[in-house]
Amino acid sequence: MKKIIILTIAALFMTAPIFGTVYTDPTDDLDSAVNNDNLNFTGAEVTNDGTTISFTINILADIQSTDWGKYMIGIDSVAGGDTNGNAWARPISMSSGMDYWFGGWVDATPDNIQLWYYNGAWTNTAVYTSTINSNSVVYSVPLAALGLSAGNSFTFDIYSSGGGGNDTAIDALSLSTPTVTGWSEPYDSGANVSSYTVPIPEPGAIFSLLFITGYLLKRK
Ligand SMILES: [Ca+2]
Ligand SMILES: [Ca+2]
């Protein structure tokens, strides 16, 4: 019986479709005082399968040749959270309450993404390695690392910044106008956030799963 259950779970994961949402951001939305093409988002894509969620961050410049930018994601997925800051103590916030923070860089690998969780204070819960392409960087992590499962929804924003400890959000995915006019000016995503829902497997997939299980049980 145990073997049948393992086989069934494997079958589900092997056939689990990839879901996703595409987000766009204009290329003319940075103020001239802070304008840098390697900090300018053109958009993003969030996808997930049965176990992993991926954030693909698309950037105007080639970040393999101009690699000093920092790329961060703030996530509001549960009640509470940090309403006026983030794990890197930069002047970036989600006043709705930020629960998770990805802080990443592209000028060194591996272990170039930090995942932080807020529960009254920020804790660095995991470290990952991104996939760096010429005009995008991909953060892929287990759904479980963000406390997510099928049917869960969250809001998020993606930020670009420089190497200074007080550098702010130079571009924000969820705002199509300039975030700031200076490097240390605070930025709050406020109501300008994006949302994503982890899809529930379609009934067809569940019926297939039941059918496979039934077939295996009958064989036994
Ligand atoms: Ca942009
Ligand atoms: Ca923007």
Side-chain angles (χ1 to χ4, degrees):
M1 183 63 183
K2 198 172 183 182
K3 191 177 282 178
I4 290 168
I5 290 171
I6 291 166
L7 281 170
T8 306
I9 291 169
L12 175 65
F13 286 160
M14 282 164 66
T15 56
I18 294 172
F19 302 95
T21 303
V22 174
Y23 307 83
T24 59
D25 194 56
T27 57
D28 61 351
D29 60 338
L30 269 58
D31 185 86
S32 59
V34 294
N35 189 27
N36 286 275
D37 288 352
N38 64 317
L39 302 183
N40 195 337
F41 299 135
T42 58
E45 189 176 352
V46 182
T47 59
N48 76 274
D49 60 17
T51 56
T52 303
I53 185 165
S54 298
F55 298 83
T56 299
I57 306 169
N58 299 313
I59 299 152
L60 184 58
D62 181 346
I63 57 168
Q64 288 177 323
S65 55
T66 307
D67 62 4
W68 53 265
K70 312 299 173 227
Y71 305 97
M72 301 147 296
I73 306 172
I75 294 173
D76 175 11
S77 56
V78 292
D82 189 343
T83 56
N84 56 28
N86 59 78
W88 277 7
R90 289 177 177 236
I92 301 168
S93 58
M94 296 176 79
S95 50
S96 61
M98 189 190 294
D99 305 300
Y100 292 91
W101 169 264
F102 284 106
W105 50 93
V106 295
D107 55 352
T109 59
D111 301 334
N112 61 336
I113 313 168
Q114 296 175 346
L115 174 61
W116 295 74
Y117 174 62
Y118 185 85
N119 185 16
W122 285 101
T123 304
N124 184 191
T125 54
V127 174
Y128 304 98
T129 300
S130 63
T131 300
I132 303 167
N133 305 304
S134 55
N135 293 93
S136 68
V137 59
V138 184
Y139 293 6
S140 289
V141 305
L143 282 165
L146 297 173
L148 295 172
S149 53
N152 289 163
S153 295
F154 61 88
T155 59
F156 69 99
D157 206 358
I158 302 180
Y159 312 101
S160 63
S161 195
N166 201 42
D167 287 346
T168 188
I170 302 304
D171 198 354
L173 175 71
S174 309
L175 187 71
S176 57
T177 53
T179 51
V180 293
T181 58
W183 279 95
S184 55
E185 187 180 318
Y187 180 70
D188 172 22
S189 290
N192 297 304
V193 290
S194 301
S195 61
Y196 186 75
T197 299
V198 180
I200 297 170
E202 290 178 20
I206 294 168
F207 286 135
S208 305
L209 180 62
L210 290 173
F211 179 79
I212 292 166
T213 307
Y215 177 73
L216 289 170
L217 281 170
K218 201 171 177 185
R219 270 171 61 97
K220 187 154 186 161

